[in-house]
Amino acid sequence: MNDFSNESNEKIFITGGTQLQGNVRISGAKNAALPLMTLSLILNKGFTLSNMPDLADTRLMSNLLAELGINNSWKFGKVNFHGAPKINEASYELVRQMRASILVLGPLLASKGSARVPLPGGCAIGTRPIDLHVLVMEALGANVYYDSGFIIASVGSEGLKGGLIDFPKVSVGATESAIMTSVLAKGKTTIINAAHEPEIVDLAKCLISAGADINGVGTSTIIINGVNELNPVDHEIVPDRIEAGSFAIASGMTKGNIEITHIRPKDLEFFLKVLNYTGSEIKIDTNSINITSSKRPEPYDIVTQTHPGFPTDLQAQYMALMSIASGSAFIKETIFENRFMHVPELLRMGANISIKNQIASIIGVKELKGSKVMASDLRASMSLILAALAALGTSEIDGIHHLDRGYEKIEDKLSNLGAIIRRSK
Ligand code: EPU
């Protein structure tokens, strides 16, 4: 994600030290919603998504799709998409604000036979190239080149053709691009070294309901037989496992007792084991979990990995937890090269963390202190919120536009659990 969009002067003020208690309902997953929304470019006969999180990022995707000619109307978490894309060019103004905009490339190409999408650029957490998305388009028979900051992809009169997509590296977004671009291609596509994330499974589930022929999703090899057309579909977006994990950590930070509802615990299996090793008690039900944390967290080392390993999107939040642990822990980040931007800010709050290469060494401190801090990206902003919930005194968190990209109604949800939190200029 780029980090220069929707900046506001708003800040969040948190007075720490309250034990969080009660229920929190988790929203639909941002990272499932974004690729699902781009399916509206190929699902032109009727498409509705429910459990849609109302976030800066999903609103931005909605505007991008509207500019391309897809009308979308929002009502109580339900979004109806109508129409087919009228133009093949995505606007720089919108794409530059969100890296996930690259996901329109494949569906636009499948629908229009050509697509012009501005390069999304790097972001705070790393350079984030798009070569694997380009590899997908080329493997399916497209001609791709770069001109004046745009990626331009086109296919001949025969359209997209199924092919072999052998990823040299596992990528969530490129796996999604591969699925979305090949469902309407002629013939068979084989995707090797595919990512397994639940959001990818959700995308495939939606397409299968629309009549796509997809096998092996959730494993490393996905096989797709192209179909001629897709039918109307209503799909409910999978719950946000990262939001759920963030609230689970909030319990650990505050010796809390939180019931986290409307989730799929299976999607968090590895993370919940780790949280249990840190001393939180976890009761798992079909669609909810209860987390009780009664003592200072115990240290436990983690390495971020693709699903089903420890998610990189919970690394910053987990570091806040380890910063108050009763000993030392290591956190190794393997997915993004620069995802420790929260560290200097946690240091301001009294944490004891040093970084060497991609490994953070954290020596737990007894107490964090409320401070003025700056969020640098979405998950870093949640890490600082969590640290502030545990800290002595009041923290002032700046850079809140990052938080609004991925956490729906966060102040309401936290204050319902007893947090002392307010937003103000
Ligand atoms: N990569 C390449 N070339 C590409 C694409 C990716 O080298 O063409 C590299 C990336 O630079 C990175 C690695 O591959 O080092 C994995 O990136 P991936 O493509 O899997 O990430 P993504 O699809 O861009 C999604 C989420 C991220 C999440 C990652 C990893 C969405 C919209 N975004 O990004 O979410 O961190 O997968 O799980 O689904 C967040 O929500 O805060 C967030 C950053």
Side-chain angles (χ1 to χ4, degrees), residues 30-31 128-132 171-173 313 335 339 379:
K30 165 185 83 83
N31 288 347
R128 303 184 75 182
I130 49 140
D131 54 319
L132 302 176
S171 158
V172 174
D313 290 346
I335 310 293
R339 211 175 197 181
R379 306 306 170 186

Side-chain angles (χ1 to χ4, degrees), residues 1 30-32 34-35 99-100 103 125 127-133 169-174 176 197 241 312-313 335-337 339 378-379:
M1 263 171 288
K30 165 185 83 83
N31 288 347
L34 294 172
R99 280 210 41 102
L103 293 169
I125 64 175
T127 50
R128 303 184 75 182
I130 49 140
D131 54 319
L132 302 176
H133 296 262
K169 180 173 186 174
V170 180
S171 158
V172 174
E176 291 164 346
E197 270 62 10
R241 64 195 165 100
T312 174
D313 290 346
I335 310 293
F336 293 107
E337 72 267 27
R339 211 175 197 181
L378 167 59
R379 306 306 170 186

Side-chain angles (χ1 to χ4, degrees), residues 26-42:
I26 297 304
S27 303
K30 165 185 83 83
N31 288 347
L34 294 172
L36 281 165
M37 291 173 85
T38 70
L39 288 183
S40 61
L41 295 162
I42 52 173

Side-chain angles (χ1 to χ4, degrees), residues 204-282:
K205 195 174 153 204
C206 174
L207 280 165
I208 291 167
S209 308
D213 182 351
I214 307 174
N215 294 290
V217 75
T219 74
S220 304
T221 305
I222 301 175
I223 296 184
I224 295 167
N225 292 300
V227 293
N228 291 332
E229 54 176 13
L230 295 165
N231 304 316
V233 62
D234 282 0
H235 179 79
E236 184 179 332
I237 300 170
V238 76
D240 196 319
R241 64 195 165 100
I242 305 302
E243 187 197 8
S246 304
F247 278 100
I249 293 175
S251 171
M253 297 294 303
T254 65
K255 299 196 175 85
N257 179 356
I258 307 183
E259 182 90 10
I260 302 174
T261 71
H262 295 79
I263 61 164
R264 296 196 319 193
K266 189 104 188 97
D267 293 343
L268 281 158
E269 203 170 355
F270 186 80
F271 166 78
L272 291 176
K273 263 189 204 154
V274 169
L275 204 60
N276 186 233
Y277 296 147
T278 68
S280 285
E281 275 176 41
I282 302 165

Side-chain angles (χ1 to χ4, degrees), residues 45-59:
K45 288 187 177 169
F47 182 33
T48 305
L49 287 172
S50 55
N51 202 26
M52 174 66 76
D54 196 351
L55 302 166
D57 274 12
T58 50
R59 288 288 177 174

